[in-house]
Amino acid sequence: MTDRLRYPGNEIVELYCHRWEIELGFREIKQTMLDSAYHLRSKRPDMVRQELWGVLLAYNLIRRIMTMAATVTGIWPNQLSFSSSSMAVIQYFSSVSIMSPGNIPIHWQHLLNTDNDDGGDSYRDMAQGKSMKKTL
C-alpha cells in the first residue's frame, strides 16, 4: 500500500467511505432487524441461507422506501433514522392485508402518503424531524 502509483490516496479514501457505509448497514441489520441477536434462528444450512436472503431483502426494501420518502420530502435518505423507518414500515405492512404480491407497490405508494393515527403524515413527519437523526 506504499506504492502511490498503484494505490492513489484519493481512491483509498473513496473506498474507505464506501466501506464505512457498508459497515453501518451491517450494524443496522444486526442491531435493528435482528435485535442484537448473536445467532440466526435457523439450524439447517439451506434455511440459514433463506433467512439471510430474507433479512437482506427486508433491509433493501426498507432502504428503498426511505429513499422514496426522502425524495418526496426533499431531504437526503441518510437523514432518516433506520430504526424509526423500519418500525414504520413493519407497522404499516403488518396492519394491511396484502392479498396479492402485485399489490406491494400500491401499498408502498400509500405508505408514503398515508395519515397515521396522530393525524400526521407518517413518513413526511418522520422525514421532517419527528424521527430524524440528530446531527452534531
Side-chain angles (χ1 to χ4, degrees):
M1 305 262 319
T2 58
D3 184 3
R4 292 181 187 200
L5 294 176
R6 190 169 179 192
Y7 304 106
N10 56 348
E11 288 182 18
I12 300 293
V13 169
E14 184 179 339
L15 288 173
Y16 184 79
C17 291
H18 290 295
R19 179 186 172 274
W20 183 250
E21 288 297 322
I22 292 168
E23 292 292 332
L24 291 177
F26 287 153
R27 185 188 70 184
E28 291 166 345
I29 289 171
K30 288 190 279 187
Q31 288 181 352
T32 303
M33 297 179 67
L34 298 177
D35 293 326
S36 298
Y38 290 114
H39 55 82
L40 298 173
R41 295 175 297 166
S42 303
K43 303 292 184 222
R44 295 188 352 229
D46 60 329
M47 298 308 290
V48 169
R49 277 191 294 278
Q50 180 179 342
E51 188 173 348
L52 286 173
W53 277 112
V55 168
L56 291 173
L57 177 64
Y59 176 79
N60 284 309
L61 289 173
I62 292 168
R63 278 287 173 196
R64 175 70 177 132
I65 199 86
M66 288 173 70
T67 302
M68 292 168 64
T71 301
V72 167
T73 56
I75 63 169
W76 291 97
N78 63 355
Q79 290 179 290
L80 294 172
S81 163
F82 181 81
S83 58
S84 297
S85 299
S86 65
M87 286 188 301
V89 170
I90 290 168
Q91 179 181 6
Y92 178 80
F93 281 111
S94 64
S95 66
V96 298
S97 65
I98 302 174
M99 300 293 180
S100 166
N103 289 335
I104 291 176
I106 296 167
H107 289 297
W108 276 24
Q109 192 60 41
H110 188 258
L111 175 62
L112 287 172
N113 298 317
T114 191
D115 290 336
N116 59 19
D117 294 335
D118 64 1
D121 205 4
S122 62
Y123 238 91
R124 291 178 196 270
D125 285 346
M126 188 180 305
Q128 291 173 355
K130 284 191 174 179
S131 299
M132 253 177 136
K133 287 193 240 180
K134 295 194 189 298
T135 55
L136 298 176

